[in-house]
Amino acid sequence: MDESYYASLLETPASSKGGKATSFLATEDTPVLLSVVLSRRTQTHLHQANASVRMAVAARIPRKRADCTDPVKYTIQYFNFLDDRRRFTNFDALLTRLSPVGVVHLSCNESAEIDNSSASTSKGNSKRVKEIQNLLTKVSNVINTRKDILSHDTAEPNDNDTVLTNVMSSLPANISNTKSLPPQLESNLLPLLGGQDNPRFKQYQNDTKLVDDVLSKQAIALLLLQENIHAESPEDGEYEIVQGSISSHLTMDRTAMECIHLLPPRHKGITNVVVGGSPENNSIFGVLNQCKTKMGVRMLEVWLRQPCVELSTILYRQCAVKKMVEENALGRDRLRDEGLGGMRGVDLDGLCGRLGDFVSLGCSKGRGSLTGGTSKALECLYKLHMFADKQLPILMETMADLAGCEESGDSGSEHGDVQSSSMNVASRNGAIKTIYEGLGRAINELAKSVQLVEAVLDFDAAPREFLVKASFSDDLKDLRDELDAIEQEKEDIHENMNKIWEDLSGQRGQVRLEDMDSNGNSSCAWQFRIPDTNASKVLQQQLPDDVTIHRLLKNGVYFSNKELLQLGSKKHDLLMEYDKNQREVVQNAMNIAVTYIPVLERASELVAEIDVLASLAHVAAFNPHGYCRPEITDDDQDGSGIVLKEARHPCVELQDNIDFIPNDFDLIFGESSFLLVTGPNMGGKSTYIRSLAAIMVMAQIGSYVPCKSAKINIVHHLLARVGAGDLQDRGISTFMAEMLEASSILRTATKRSLIIIDELGRGTSTFDGYGLARAISEYIVQNIGCITVFATHFHELTAMEDTQKGVKNCHVTAKRSTDGSNQLSFLYEVQPGPCLESFGIQVAEMANVPKTVIQDAKRKAAEFENFDWKRRKDSSEAKFIRAFKSLPLKSFATSAEKKEAIMKLLQ
């Protein structure tokens, strides 16, 4: 092939015929950037004014492009919502969804600086400033304590990493001026949104929500200003602006995430101490993460952070998992082992980022400019070729059988008419087939890239060295001949050194020749190694002038001689000359390669999706206790709800030496939506209620669940009140933290929420605690009506079953020892009805509390029980009731006689 053929490839741009809709997926290289603007003024009722604050959040999110003609690289998503001033629950839940976060710019629409111009208002001004500063500090604390939103590559054990929070005491003047802001913002966004006639700019102009939303406009303007986003930065690409909604996914704040162990602990060193288990079973992510690719691992975390609330999306994923679990297990295993397994270590997002860096170094019109050597650029081309020509075709081949067996529609008959009709819509174009067709388009679009790389790259040298083919020019050919001659000379030197060592030691073939770069030393191209560390003494004694010893390690002695060093220097000079001659060719090739970034982005998303679906199927198929496909409904009428048979906690059941006891849930609107769980300490109440929340999250990402059977109604909020702990850095006591969580739940919950409460009111006196627990429970039952599971030791609450509709009692069981030792055997079975004993003293006895203390505790407990009984027995009301019951009313002949007897009792 002549140079004209190569030139034709370098002039051929990538093309596309369209594809799947875009999606948002931040990575460690391109994290989400946020701006937050607060407003003290809220349009709420007077009794809520002091408890709420309005927040506007603007987020710059990396966007997966649809095709090569799509110029939009980022989405600016804006949110506007009310939040509570103490815990900022909604903002906390939004941080859960937007991860990883790189920087947060935080300010208020009022200045937090004291204005000394008016002495008469200095007192009121000072109070206002203090209030604003307090709000900014609280929000900053919420952000900086969220270690889970950092990228996984930035946090190491024992470091003090935090999200970079830029707190601004006041907005810039051009943003705080609400009159000049709208036209100025529109002028700044005009080029970023594609110009006056672009649909994206018209969509912004016609956004009725944003027209009167000054706070959101200020958040967007602050983000553009602080991140220096403007039209003169072509490497950033173009933008789109869309409205975000807190309710677009299942809402979980940090408390709910930690309650169900959604993600592994941030620092692996404390995993076993704090959570228990291993990284494979101490979180829902660890249990479900059997992904083969880096893209799949990232997407699984996104799915877990953003569980779906749309029935069609859940069923779309669930049907694909079903195909790989119940219909084609061999196809699933082949897909994972051969198709996805061949892409282990491949990071398409990282490749797109490196190609994008080439554009960012370039000049105008998107033409890149190489800085430094060409090796990294050619390595990118090599990886592009390996994916397009090797890995992707194998993946397609392993998917063919699965995609072929995925027919349009799905009977779903076992799940009823509602499930069936919804599933038919969702699976009309099944997920596996859709992914397969999308990857097929990607192969076609990447065909020219394969030819491009094959025309440019010297595959005989790769991946050891990345060089342009010598056939591009006579100079390159001459240099290639010299490099080949060096390789032969290197082998001769190696053979000669082996002979020298054989003469010295009598051992044949002990000297090995290795690349210095592969061992972390670039001072020379190669080095010798003898596995025997004692060889260093022989070399120093016998060849002191000819040999230079570099290192002495457990695996041998590393050394070189003069001839090898000189040859390495010669090769280095030739490679520098080769690099200089090939630079223009590489730059032209990279200018074309960057046009394939949108195709790679879409392929990355498709590969990640099939990897996650296959991982969910693998977990369901190989769980030792069995997973089931849940029936999903989307309703809030009486009769719908959550029914789980033999449910298990997905993490606890996999831990060593655990024989997990499954239990049922029967939570039905109008019948049993509020479940009170009583029973002894250590009896399994916490595990029981947390397993429900974990199963709900798994079901709403499209996964199978650890149950024998499951009927699940979609929930929109996961709200949790668990554990006991203070927030000393914020001046919040244990009980205050408990009440703040309870208050947040009552303000946030709707009928489509799931509330799990593990103890409430235990941080204060018994009567106050019981009163609060009873009032909160009745408020949830009477005013919210959502599904709630409440574990408590207030046995008096169990009486609610007789007075409140929808309240049911259940308890975890334990058996006393029959040998007189007062020991307990926990059965971990949940049975209907209340348990009126907590067995606290027995648990203390099991913990080896001194016997004298145990005996004293039993005596004190008996005294309190008898005192309470005597008080009830001797009360005037009790006396009257006993006397009234003793009256022989039936023996009286007339009503007058009955009245006279009763009046005597009242005197």
Side-chain angles (χ1 to χ4, degrees), residues 776-797:
I776 290 171
S777 299
E778 290 181 348
Y779 183 90
I780 293 173
V781 173
Q782 297 170 5
N783 298 292
I784 301 175
C786 65
I787 292 177
T788 305
V789 185
F790 188 164
T792 182
H793 285 287
F794 287 126
H795 301 136
E796 296 83 354
L797 288 177

Side-chain angles (χ1 to χ4, degrees), residues 562-837:
K562 295 180 180 178
E563 291 82 2
L564 194 63
L565 290 172
Q566 292 173 355
L567 192 64
S569 299
K570 183 179 179 181
K571 180 179 180 180
H572 177 268
D573 295 339
L574 288 173
L575 287 175
M576 293 295 292
E577 183 69 21
Y578 203 104
D579 183 85
K580 181 179 178 181
N581 282 272
Q582 71 181 4
R583 180 172 296 273
E584 184 178 356
V585 175
V586 175
Q587 181 158 334
N588 290 337
M590 290 296 290
N591 285 331
I592 300 303
V594 296
T595 65
Y596 291 96
I597 291 178
V599 183
L600 290 173
E601 287 178 343
R602 191 172 75 255
S604 172
E605 181 185 4
L606 294 171
V607 171
E609 187 173 355
I610 191 62
D611 193 11
V612 175
L613 293 172
S615 177
L616 296 180
H618 177 84
V619 172
F622 285 93
N623 182 274
H625 309 292
Y627 276 28
C628 78
R629 180 190 183 192
E631 175 186 348
I632 308 295
T633 60
D634 189 11
D635 197 2
D636 58 4
Q637 301 301 313
D638 288 353
S640 59
I642 303 171
V643 179
L644 308 179
K645 300 300 181 184
E646 298 186 16
R648 312 181 306 276
H649 194 291
C651 303
V652 177
E653 70 166 345
L654 296 178
Q655 294 184 6
D656 296 335
N657 303 318
I658 294 291
D659 187 11
F660 196 90
I661 306 298
N663 286 293
D664 297 344
F665 288 90
D666 194 0
L667 301 163
I668 305 297
F669 287 125
E671 300 176 13
S672 56
S673 59
F674 193 99
L675 186 65
L676 279 167
V677 187
T678 51
N681 294 291
M682 296 287 294
K685 298 190 301 295
S686 296
T687 301
Y688 176 67
I689 66 175
R690 294 176 194 223
S691 65
L692 171 64
I695 287 171
M696 293 300 298
V697 170
M698 292 174 65
Q700 290 189 214
I701 68 169
S703 173
Y704 277 35
V705 295
C707 303
K708 184 176 181 180
S709 66
K711 180 179 180 180
I712 290 174
N713 194 62
I714 295 172
V715 297
H716 294 174
H717 301 88
L718 177 57
L719 304 169
R721 151 85 281 278
V722 296
D726 55 22
L727 299 171
Q728 293 182 356
D729 57 331
R730 304 187 209 175
I732 297 175
S733 68
T734 301
F735 182 66
M736 186 61 177
E738 187 176 332
M739 289 299 100
L740 287 173
E741 290 179 358
S743 173
S744 175
I745 288 174
L746 297 181
R747 293 175 181 276
T748 305
T750 66
K751 190 173 182 180
R752 297 299 295 276
S753 300
L754 171 62
I755 299 177
I756 57 174
I757 301 176
D758 190 1
E759 296 298 341
L760 182 65
R762 305 297 290 184
T764 184
S765 70
T766 301
F767 298 117
D768 286 353
Y770 167 70
L772 285 167
R774 179 67 179 254
I776 290 171
S777 299
E778 290 181 348
Y779 183 90
I780 293 173
V781 173
Q782 297 170 5
N783 298 292
I784 301 175
C786 65
I787 292 177
T788 305
V789 185
F790 188 164
T792 182
H793 285 287
F794 287 126
H795 301 136
E796 296 83 354
L797 288 177
T798 59
M800 288 177 58
E801 183 176 18
D802 300 325
T803 60
Q804 302 292 331
K805 180 183 178 182
V807 177
K808 295 294 180 182
N809 287 311
C810 69
H811 68 280
V812 292
T813 54
K815 291 178 63 176
R816 294 180 185 271
S817 177
T818 58
D819 59 4
S821 64
N822 207 28
Q823 293 291 307
L824 287 178
S825 297
F826 298 112
L827 304 181
Y828 303 108
E829 292 180 353
V830 177
Q831 297 180 356
C835 175
L836 300 182
E837 290 186 85

Side-chain angles (χ1 to χ4, degrees), residues 311-327 406-407 409-412 415 419-420 422-432 613 617 629 702-704:
L311 178 62
S312 59
T313 304
I314 297 172
L315 297 181
Y316 177 79
R317 298 174 181 175
Q318 192 186 86
C319 289
V321 176
K322 174 179 178 290
K323 300 293 180 185
M324 291 186 277
V325 173
E326 302 178 16
E327 299 179 14
E406 189 174 38
E407 302 294 338
D410 190 303
S411 62
H415 290 163
Q419 177 92 344
S420 177
S422 300
M423 193 175 298
N424 285 332
V425 174
S427 60
R428 190 166 297 150
N429 292 310
I432 300 176
L613 293 172
R629 180 190 183 192
S703 173
Y704 277 35

